[in-house]
Amino acid sequence: MTIQKKLFLFFMLALFASSPFFSNSKTFRFGSNIITSIFDENLYPGDPVFLKLLVESPFIKNEINAHVEIIENKTGKRIRSAKMYNLEEGNINPTTKILFVGLPLSTYLNPGSYTMQVDFQSNALSEILFIPFSLKEKTFVQETILLDPVNTAIKTDDSPQRMAQIDNLNAVLNTINLKAKKTIEAFMQPVHSTRRTSFFGDRRTFAYSNGKSETNLHFGIDFGVPIGTEIFACASGKVLMSEMRNSTGWTIVIEHFPGLYSLYYHLDKMLVKKDDFVQKGDLIGLSGKTGLATGPHLHWEMRLLAEAVNPDYFVERFDLFK
């Protein structure tokens, strides 16, 4: 990066940090080339941050390379980065290219102003874009969960079988399959019930039956529903896991687009198998109490680039990017 571009970056960061109002759309013009960014300006710790770029140009002939980095304006700290991918679905204009990316934001991030720095490279353009957003303050629930001897044994199990199950799940969640389905749609809750017994981002303390304890972060939402409650796919996608695991019981994992997965734990019965394609609202299983569970419930989780993010965001805000 040149000295001039570095100075411009620091100037833009300072400007964004001082301004309280941002738009969900920002347009950049470079001669006859127009780049329109679509983003969510107000987020909370634990939300995903998504960016969609509409690139209108008569000159860009090949694939565009764009790399996004999240920067905390106050400290200049670089939080997370990822490469954007071309979104071809729904694009019928030959002179317009669509780029898309999502990055997770930790529940431990400080509220304040942030910037997406986009390094944009093509045969016709080489630019750096600066796109602002802010994180609002959020308070997470603190809870203590008492585990009986059976659940204590499951939670503290370090057997080769459980370690292999963890490695297998992590391998799935760390995969960014650019050939995956890339339909962007509003998600739905996987159950009709609104009764929640735990929330995303809860700060948990597990109190074991042997007197020891462990702190933990709750990665999803728990719906307190009876055994046998119907569970539905929260969005369309491909089933990448449908199996029994020691800690999560009967488990389903669905890939929705590159690097984004939904997870369904503690099921009593699974109605889909690995490699099945499902549509939003399809019946995929019945809730249960398998694995580490203190009562019947569904644990619903969303993972983006392997990190847990707020599932409610996909129900309430994700259709902004359609």
Side-chain angles (χ1 to χ4, degrees), residues 28 30 35 47 104 109 116 159 197 214 308:
F28 303 85
F30 307 99
I35 303 176
D47 282 346
L109 285 178
M116 285 181 276
S159 66
T197 53
E214 179 185 354

Side-chain angles (χ1 to χ4, degrees), residues 4-17:
Q4 290 83 358
K5 286 186 175 180
K6 286 182 179 179
L7 290 174
F8 182 65
L9 168 61
F10 290 129
F11 169 77
M12 294 300 289
L13 292 180
L15 175 63
F16 294 153

Side-chain angles (χ1 to χ4, degrees), residues 10-109:
F10 290 129
F11 169 77
M12 294 300 289
L13 292 180
L15 175 63
F16 294 153
S18 63
S19 175
F21 302 107
F22 299 127
S23 170
N24 282 339
S25 178
K26 186 176 178 66
T27 300
F28 303 85
R29 297 179 182 273
F30 307 99
S32 57
N33 304 293
I34 302 173
I35 303 176
T36 302
S37 61
I38 300 171
F39 58 99
D40 201 341
E41 62 181 352
N42 292 308
L43 300 166
Y44 293 93
D47 282 346
V49 55
F50 288 101
L51 174 64
K52 186 176 183 179
L53 295 182
L54 306 179
V55 184
E56 301 174 61
S57 173
F59 305 112
I60 296 177
K61 304 300 182 184
N62 52 14
E63 184 173 323
I64 301 168
N65 290 313
H67 183 268
V68 179
E69 193 163 30
I70 305 296
I71 302 171
E72 184 180 24
N73 293 352
K74 183 178 180 179
T75 63
K77 182 179 179 181
R78 296 176 183 272
I79 305 299
R80 192 78 188 246
S81 63
K83 182 179 179 180
M84 302 191 75
Y85 56 81
N86 287 265
L87 191 68
E88 300 299 334
E89 284 82 352
N91 183 17
I92 60 175
N93 188 339
T95 63
T96 300
K97 290 187 177 293
I98 304 174
L99 302 181
F100 192 74
V101 74
L103 295 96
L105 299 172
S106 168
T107 62
Y108 295 104
L109 285 178

Side-chain angles (χ1 to χ4, degrees), residues 31-296:
S32 57
N33 304 293
I34 302 173
I35 303 176
T36 302
S37 61
I38 300 171
F39 58 99
D40 201 341
E41 62 181 352
N42 292 308
L43 300 166
Y44 293 93
D47 282 346
V49 55
F50 288 101
L51 174 64
K52 186 176 183 179
L53 295 182
L54 306 179
V55 184
E56 301 174 61
S57 173
F59 305 112
I60 296 177
K61 304 300 182 184
N62 52 14
E63 184 173 323
I64 301 168
N65 290 313
H67 183 268
V68 179
E69 193 163 30
I70 305 296
I71 302 171
E72 184 180 24
N73 293 352
K74 183 178 180 179
T75 63
K77 182 179 179 181
R78 296 176 183 272
I79 305 299
R80 192 78 188 246
S81 63
K83 182 179 179 180
M84 302 191 75
Y85 56 81
N86 287 265
L87 191 68
E88 300 299 334
E89 284 82 352
N91 183 17
I92 60 175
N93 188 339
T95 63
T96 300
K97 290 187 177 293
I98 304 174
L99 302 181
F100 192 74
V101 74
L103 295 96
L105 299 172
S106 168
T107 62
Y108 295 104
L109 285 178
N110 296 319
S113 56
Y114 291 75
T115 296
M116 285 181 276
Q117 176 184 318
V118 185
D119 290 280
F120 185 95
Q121 304 287 332
S122 73
N123 66 300
L125 279 174
S126 177
E127 300 291 341
I128 298 179
L129 316 178
F130 302 98
I131 300 169
F133 68 94
S134 61
L135 284 188
K136 298 180 180 179
E137 188 170 359
K138 184 174 182 178
T139 301
F140 293 94
V141 173
Q142 306 274 346
E143 63 175 347
T144 298
I145 299 177
L146 304 177
L147 299 185
D148 61 19
V150 173
N151 280 323
T152 294
I154 294 174
K155 187 71 175 68
T156 57
D157 178 15
D158 60 357
S159 66
Q161 181 187 45
R162 182 167 180 256
M163 295 303 104
Q165 291 173 353
I166 292 172
D167 290 342
N168 184 38
L169 178 59
N170 287 337
V172 171
L173 300 179
N174 278 287
T175 299
I176 303 174
N177 175 22
L178 296 180
K179 295 182 180 179
K181 181 180 177 67
K182 302 183 183 73
T183 300
I184 299 173
E185 58 186 347
F187 282 42
M188 61 175 280
Q189 285 192 168
V191 291
H192 295 314
S193 173
T194 59
R195 180 175 178 260
R196 300 184 177 194
T197 53
S198 290
F199 304 89
F200 169 75
D202 286 359
R203 276 52 171 159
R204 286 181 160 182
T205 298
F206 285 104
Y208 299 143
S209 60
N210 59 15
K212 298 181 180 180
S213 64
E214 179 185 354
T215 58
N216 202 294
L217 184 71
H218 191 229
F219 288 154
I221 296 171
D222 287 348
F223 293 92
V225 292
I227 293 174
T229 300
E230 292 183 329
I231 307 300
F232 306 98
C234 63
S236 59
K238 182 179 181 180
V239 177
L240 293 191
M241 180 178 289
S242 179
E243 64 184 47
M244 168 61 79
R245 304 179 71 248
N246 290 17
S247 57
T248 60
W250 290 110
T251 297
I252 293 173
V253 178
I254 300 175
E255 176 188 52
H256 299 290
F257 64 77
L260 180 68
Y261 301 89
S262 61
L263 301 85
Y264 312 78
Y265 289 168
H266 311 299
L267 303 181
D268 185 64
K269 186 176 183 180
M270 301 187 298
L271 302 176
V272 293
K273 61 183 183 302
K274 188 176 182 294
D275 295 329
D276 283 350
F277 284 89
V278 296
Q279 299 298 322
K280 173 181 171 180
D282 282 355
L283 180 64
I284 61 172
L286 303 177
S287 68
K289 190 189 171 183
T290 56
L292 199 167
T294 57

